Structures are given as C-alpha cells and as structure tokens.
Amino acid sequence: MSAAQVCDSTLDSSAQSALRKITRREKFEEPHRFNVSRAVESLRKSKRTDDCTIFPTEDGDTPDIQVNFDVRDEVPDWEKEGARNGETFYDAGALTRATKNGVDIFFTCHTADQKGGSGVVKGDLWSPAATTKEDHYRLVTILNSISRSLAGELGCGSETRLHKRVPQQAHG
C-alpha cells in the first residue's frame, strides 16, 4: 500500500510525506485494515477504536506506527507541568505532546461519547522509528491528519481545534 492508502486514506499530503520520511519507505502493509466509519462506531460503543497499525513490507514483525483513539473524561494538565523528559507541545487540539515514545493528541468532540460524558478524545501514536525531534514533529503531522478525519466522521470537526495546516511547536 502507498502512504495515501494506509489508515483508510486519512493521511493528507503533509502526513503522507511525513510517514515516508520517518520510515524511509514508499510501501507499507496494514494487515488489519483500519476503517474510519467502524472506528467511530467502536468509539461510541466501547470508547476505544481498533488500531491502525502500519508495518514495513519487507520485515513485518515490528510496526512502523500504531495509532488508536479512546474517549477520556478530561484533558490532562501535562502542559502545566512543563516540558519534562524531552516532551514537546504543539498547537493542535486541546493538548498535543510528543515524547520519546510517540505522540498524544486530545481534542474536544461532544458527539464521541453518546453516554453524556465529557466528549474528549485521545489519539495515541506510537512509533519505534521516532528518534529525533524532527521525527516527533512528523508523527504529530500524521496523528493530526488521522484525528481530523476521525473528528469529521464523528461530526465534531469544528470544535476540535485540529488544524488543516501542519501543527506548530508551542513549547518544549
């Protein structure tokens, strides 16, 4: 599969480029195809989605990236604690941070929790390929793009503060 096809074709052109740069690959495998409509249904029923897991085509033991979403009660106060252990924060959603292990993005989406909860969705992207701050920036770009697609399908795109442009570093 190409970068344009993975994760149910949710990667915009910037995210596709970021995926190719961080993995140094042009083709990928996604054995359990992620589907945005199914993810929305799962998020609303069980408060968690299936993973979008992308593997290299030549050695499929360790994924290049793994993404999942779940509904949370609130946005954590991580940003108030400041950048610790190399964390970097970005201006996307309610809170976006990159760590040495990947990226977390929180966004408001009142239609995500049909049981009357807070309507906060957390996206999580893990990648063993991320080793530099530039790699983390690329992961933020990828997760922001997938999150925007999911929010659009959930019907809450206008309340998320997820940008069409590539997120910028806020601090850290």
Side-chain angles (χ1 to χ4, degrees), residues 1 3 16 28-29 33 42-43 64 69 75 81 94 121 129 131-133 140-141 145 160 171:
M1 302 174 74
Q16 292 170 36
F28 309 91
E29 288 186 17
R33 298 291 309 262
S42 177
L43 198 61
D64 282 326
F69 295 89
V75 177
E81 297 172 21
V121 175
T131 57
T132 67
K133 282 206 178 229
V140 169
T141 302
S145 183
T160 64
H171 59 86

Side-chain angles (χ1 to χ4, degrees), residues 9-15 34 36 40 67 69 91-93 105 107 109 121 123 140-167:
S9 300
T10 58
L11 275 63
D12 61 23
S13 61
S14 296
F34 178 79
V36 175
V40 165
V67 179
F69 295 89
D91 68 345
I105 192 167
F107 60 91
C109 184
V121 175
V140 169
T141 302
I142 293 166
L143 186 56
N144 184 68
S145 183
I146 298 169
S147 298
R148 282 185 30 250
S149 292
L150 183 70
E153 186 77 17
L154 281 162
C156 62
S158 63
E159 69 180 288
T160 64
R161 293 189 353 225
L162 297 169
H163 309 294
K164 288 183 181 178
R165 65 167 172 76
V166 176

Side-chain angles (χ1 to χ4, degrees), residues 2-61:
S2 70
Q5 297 170 310
V6 297
C7 297
D8 199 15
S9 300
T10 58
L11 275 63
D12 61 23
S13 61
S14 296
Q16 292 170 36
S17 177
L19 178 63
R20 288 190 298 269
K21 285 179 183 174
I22 196 168
T23 63
R24 295 170 187 79
R25 302 182 206 299
E26 293 291 325
K27 295 291 181 187
F28 309 91
E29 288 186 17
E30 188 181 348
H32 305 286
R33 298 291 309 262
F34 178 79
N35 178 280
V36 175
S37 296
R38 232 182 15 246
V40 165
E41 185 178 319
S42 177
L43 198 61
R44 287 181 172 155
K45 286 183 180 178
S46 67
K47 295 190 175 196
R48 182 165 173 77
T49 65
D50 296 331
D51 295 339
C52 174
T53 305
I54 302 169
F55 289 89
T57 56
E58 63 276 355
D59 181 17
D61 291 343

Side-chain angles (χ1 to χ4, degrees), residues 58-116:
E58 63 276 355
D59 181 17
D61 291 343
T62 303
D64 282 326
I65 68 167
Q66 186 171 19
V67 179
N68 63 60
F69 295 89
D70 59 89
V71 176
R72 295 294 178 103
D73 292 330
E74 61 187 25
V75 177
D77 288 336
W78 294 334
E79 200 166 18
K80 290 180 182 175
E81 297 172 21
R84 55 179 185 206
N85 300 325
E87 295 175 355
T88 306
F89 294 88
Y90 292 84
D91 68 345
L95 174 69
T96 299
R97 76 168 180 172
T99 69
K100 64 180 179 176
N101 298 318
V103 175
D104 299 307
I105 192 167
F106 291 81
F107 60 91
T108 304
C109 184
H110 288 93
T111 59
D113 188 351
Q114 295 190 342
K115 295 181 170 79

